[in-house]
Amino acid sequence: MPTIRLHITAKNLTLMAGLIAATLSAGCATSTVTPTPVEPEVETAPPPVSSNWVPFARYGRYTLVELKPQAAQQNLLLQVVDVFMPTKPDATVGDGLRHVLQRSGYALCDDLQVAALYEKPLPVAHLQLGPMFLHDALLTLAGPAWEMQVDDRERRVCFEPSLETLP
């Protein structure tokens, strides 16, 4: 096996010793810095937000989403529904209205005046409704002879006979 010889000259040895000494002396050096007193920050009011400012959040690389409720979340009758009615041979308009109102946040009024509407058979044309607004789906099921009354406080939908005469 051949032997490895290292040739370290006095010049290189002096250079390495100087570098080691400089590193050790710089690493152990400490400096004394007097801390400056910190003044308390004065809180300033945030600048007023303009009326046309719309907050948004970044979702992904190219998607910005507005941080405000959609129109259908504020006015529940504007939510879009696409409804397939259960096919029962004796389905009524009342069954259809209740089915459309499921999970909408509204309930149907139980009034004796509209029992005539609720007991009518559900037309085959109304077995599939939508996509359309919830408001329009309810009016479609009730027909033009009935007016819809909405109590937003109680979230109830009621129908009354229309006062207008039909042609």
Side-chain angles (χ1 to χ4, degrees):
M1 180 169 220
T3 60
I4 300 175
R5 292 185 176 188
L6 291 174
H7 292 291
I8 300 177
T9 62
K11 185 177 181 182
N12 286 344
L13 190 59
T14 307
L15 180 64
M16 280 196 257
L19 286 173
I20 291 173
T23 304
L24 289 176
S25 66
C28 295
T30 59
S31 62
T32 57
V33 178
T34 58
T36 57
V38 178
E39 295 180 17
E41 293 184 20
V42 177
E43 292 186 22
T44 59
V49 178
S50 66
S51 62
N52 61 356
W53 181 74
V54 177
F56 65 91
R58 182 176 302 276
Y59 278 87
R61 188 172 184 178
Y62 300 109
T63 305
L64 296 178
V65 178
E66 288 186 38
L67 299 176
K68 67 176 192 173
Q70 297 174 357
Q73 291 172 325
Q74 290 179 331
N75 183 354
L76 295 176
L77 291 176
L78 292 179
Q79 56 188 305
V80 177
V81 295
D82 192 6
V83 180
F84 293 90
M85 302 289 178
T87 54
K88 296 189 321 186
D90 58 343
T92 63
V93 173
D95 294 335
L97 289 168
R98 285 184 199 88
H99 186 75
V100 169
L101 286 174
Q102 281 181 345
R103 302 183 57 90
S104 70
Y106 284 93
L108 192 60
C109 287
D110 290 328
D111 193 2
L112 295 177
Q113 288 183 345
V114 292
L117 170 66
Y118 294 163
E119 293 170 358
K120 294 202 180 301
L122 185 67
V124 174
H126 291 168
L127 290 178
Q128 193 273 326
L129 294 173
M132 65 176 60
F133 293 121
L134 177 62
H135 178 268
D136 295 334
L138 294 171
L139 288 176
T140 301
L141 284 170
W146 298 89
E147 291 182 7
M148 185 169 66
Q149 304 294 324
V150 178
D151 182 2
D152 287 321
R153 179 168 296 185
E154 297 294 322
R155 288 195 177 172
R156 293 171 49 117
V157 176
C158 303
F159 290 93
E160 296 178 354
S162 178
L163 300 177
E164 297 178 20
T165 58
L166 297 174

